[in-house]
């Protein structure tokens, strides 16, 4: 092999903004809702309902991901998936994203190309027809991906956290604890002796436990189930990002109900199912006479004991994820 | 004075996400377009036109701002102002923002409160009725503010960069070079002997040159002029963020025209007026028979020489801002 000494640099700081955009934009499509995509001061997106749903989420290298564990494509996929699930949790159909990325000038453009590929693939898989309508690139000492996602309610009322009533069935669609199990494996077995993320060990773990590692690094949340739940008459719904118990508590407090979980519905390890964060499933309440539609599964019932969470009638207390408390300040 | 040894910490990492949000959200209002503001998985915003305009912009500590120079309120104001101008440049009325902030756990919550105050004050001054409908907080080693802004076209076609025709008058609203003059003053006189930003010197400079320093740190772009221009029949428009010449070239290339600037309209220092970045004025083209509405001023004419920029007929070539090429990698 010849040394690559005479290869032109592919660091984004050497390429410059225009050249970087020229390599990223062809990997993305603006989607069916775009009246006008990237390239002007702003995009124009269809909102046939006369309202639009909007959510925003930041992923930061270190606290939220590590490049030694995630591929660039994983990052784009996860950034799309987490935001699309928040749109779905309102009962809306995702229509579009905008994506702002801050990156070190030394970063290889291939990383941004991979992020763009993951965004496109995530959109295609989870919300066909939705696209990326705009974005921004900035320089930073740390890689950050900021996604803002939009959806259309198609004439329906948004499904809030506050509409559940005693007697409703509590149902869930998506993974229960797998993302946390994947993260625990990565922490236990994909760090070197100094505690730093180890890329080779992560790759080996990916081969050994593909489902659990993917649940953490490139989750496949049930995005299309959001509209299905809204059409079936869900009284409350939310994206389970901080753990089933912690997010159930949000519905319980907003709705003035309690929730009694059934351990038999939570698998062999109900406490991990209740505590594990980042599954990005959908937790919803349905009136007792409404059978929860596929892929929802009944996991409990709404009680009249406001704010009280129980498992087979016994008290439950599990902590979830806090973006400040959960990070030790060490990079990735 | 007693030492503050027993004061409880106000670092955001010690307070935790819920307590931080409880201090920030009361400083922000969701605005007239919000059907549903912060607090659920996503917000719901009115889009009476059946479309919405969306733009996103990232500000990163170091390349985009320095806490030694900008107050937290300046940062919030500028983040609102720059995004609102992009919405205005489409001929849309700004309706709402979402704001994602990544911050070090050691950051004092007062900084985030100040950013929120600046966002609110900027919205009130520049786009009355528009508000903050949602956001996200993340941990990071570097402070970053990501704003996504929305607007309503009120039935009008968006004003693109591509609609100018030979013979159109070229008009501009807003500052011409003042933001760059303010930045040059800060670089020249508000850094210490090691080149690091110096807060005391910046404060003194603010007293001595309030207009130029404010033009850089907390600009007041002509946001309401965007709708005025669209209603008057502007054929093309854009936000001048990278310098008048560089952004004029974007209109020229998209529209297939040339632009001849008149030096007499550009003040005593036409080259600084053409080169200076970050003024966030609006550059627009109007048909020759349409007098540009207040506050637009005629600064040139569209010619048939596609892509050629001239000043009183002589060639112009000025460089603008590139987010990667323009940053030396040194922090703020």
């Amino acid at each position: 092999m010849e040394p690559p000494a005479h290869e032109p640099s592919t660091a984004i700081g050497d390429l410059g903004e225009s050249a970087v955009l020229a390599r990223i934009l062809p990997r993305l499509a603006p989607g069916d809702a775009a009246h006008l995509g990237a390239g002007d001061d702003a995009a124009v997106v269809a909102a046939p309902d006369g309202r639009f749903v909007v959510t925003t989420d930041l992923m930061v290298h270190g606290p939220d991901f590590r490049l030694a564990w995630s591929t660039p494509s994983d990052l784009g996929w996860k950034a799309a998936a987490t935001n699309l699930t928040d749109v779905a949790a309102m009962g809306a159909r995702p229509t579009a994203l905008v994506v702002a990325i801050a990156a070190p000038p030394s970063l290889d453009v291939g990383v941004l190309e991979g992020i763009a590929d993951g965004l496109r693939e995530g959109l295609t898989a989870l919300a066909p027809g939705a696209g990326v309508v705009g974005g921004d690139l900035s320089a930073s000492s740390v890689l950050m991906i900021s996604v803002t996602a939009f959806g259309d309610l198609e004439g329906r009322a948004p499904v809030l956290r506050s509409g559940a009533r005693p007697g409703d069935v509590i149902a869930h669609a998506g993974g229960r604890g797998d993302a946390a199990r994947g993260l625990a494996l990565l922490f236990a077995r994909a760090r070197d002796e100094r505690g730093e993320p180890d890329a080779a060990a992560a790759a080996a773990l990916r081969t050994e436990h593909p489902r659990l590692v993917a649940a953490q690094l490139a989750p496949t949340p049930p995005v299309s189930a959001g509209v299905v739940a809204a059409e079936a008459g869900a009284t409350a719904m939310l994206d389970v990002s901080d753990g089933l118990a912690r997010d159930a508590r949000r519905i319980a407090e907003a709705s003035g109900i309690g929730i009694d979980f059934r351990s038999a519905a939570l698998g062999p390890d109900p406490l991990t199912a209740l505590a594990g964060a980042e599954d990005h499933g959908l937790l919803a309440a349905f009136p007792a006479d409404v059978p929860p539609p596929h892929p929802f599964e009944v996991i409990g019932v709404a009680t009249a004991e406001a704010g009280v969470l129980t498992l087979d009638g016994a008290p439950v207390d599990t902590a979830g994820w806090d973006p400040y408390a959960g990070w030790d300040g060490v990079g990735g």
Side-chain angles (χ1 to χ4, degrees), chain A:
Chain A
M1 291 280 285
E2 288 293 312
H6 299 286
E7 293 284 324
S9 167
T10 51
I12 57 177
D14 294 325
L15 291 171
E17 184 178 25
S18 299
V20 171
L21 288 175
R23 292 177 70 150
I24 295 173
L25 288 176
R27 294 165 185 270
L28 297 168
D32 299 340
H35 286 284
L36 179 71
D40 215 297
D41 293 286
V44 182
V45 181
D49 175 272
R51 303 164 294 176
F52 63 94
V53 162
V54 52
T55 183
T56 190
D57 194 52
L58 259 180
M59 284 169 43
V60 182
H61 192 226
D64 297 317
F65 64 86
R66 288 105 197 274
L67 280 170
W69 289 349
S70 295
T71 66
S73 172
D74 287 342
L75 300 179
W77 177 291
K78 186 165 180 174
T82 54
N83 279 278
L84 293 170
T85 310
D86 277 325
V87 169
M90 305 303 285
R93 188 178 304 280
T95 53
L97 309 179
V98 295
V99 183
I101 297 180
S106 61
L107 191 77
D108 191 89
V109 69
V111 175
L112 298 191
E113 291 175 326
I115 291 171
D117 288 341
L119 285 164
R120 182 189 67 247
E121 289 159 8
L123 283 163
T124 300
L126 301 173
V132 176
V133 296
D136 188 31
L137 287 176
S138 291
S140 166
S141 55
V142 58
L143 179 62
M144 286 185 249
I145 307 171
S146 174
V147 171
T148 304
F150 310 106
D152 190 75
L153 286 162
E154 303 175 322
R156 294 179 297 272
V159 183
L160 308 183
R161 300 176 178 189
S162 52
R165 295 293 169 259
D168 283 357
V169 296
I170 302 298
H172 179 262
R176 292 195 273 274
D178 284 353
R181 290 184 188 97
L183 186 62
L185 280 173
L186 287 162
F187 267 98
R189 294 175 48 192
R191 295 194 297 171
D192 63 21
E193 59 275 13
R194 293 166 300 134
E196 292 296 317
D198 183 305
L205 208 53
R206 217 182 258 265
T207 305
E208 193 180 344
H209 295 285
R211 196 177 58 82
L212 296 180
V213 173
Q216 170 57 223
L217 300 182
T220 305
V223 172
S224 62
V227 168
V228 170
E231 288 183 335
T235 56
M237 185 157 51
L238 97 178
D239 163 39
V240 182
S241 52
D242 294 338
L244 204 43
R246 185 165 167 173
D247 283 317
R249 188 176 297 284
R250 294 186 167 125
I251 283 190
E253 289 176 354
S255 297
I257 60 162
I259 294 178
D260 185 39
F261 294 104
R262 298 176 189 171
S263 64
L266 294 174
D269 181 2
L271 289 180
T272 299
L274 287 173
E278 292 194 271
D279 278 317
H280 297 289
L282 292 172
L283 181 66
F286 294 90
D289 60 348
V290 171
H294 176 80
F296 285 90
E297 296 172 333
V298 175
I299 60 165
V301 64
T303 72
E305 296 178 85
V308 177
L309 263 57
T310 49
L311 177 64
D312 301 331
V316 173
D317 186 29
T318 54
W321 168 253
D322 185 296
Y324 299 119
W327 184 45
D328 59 8
V330 175

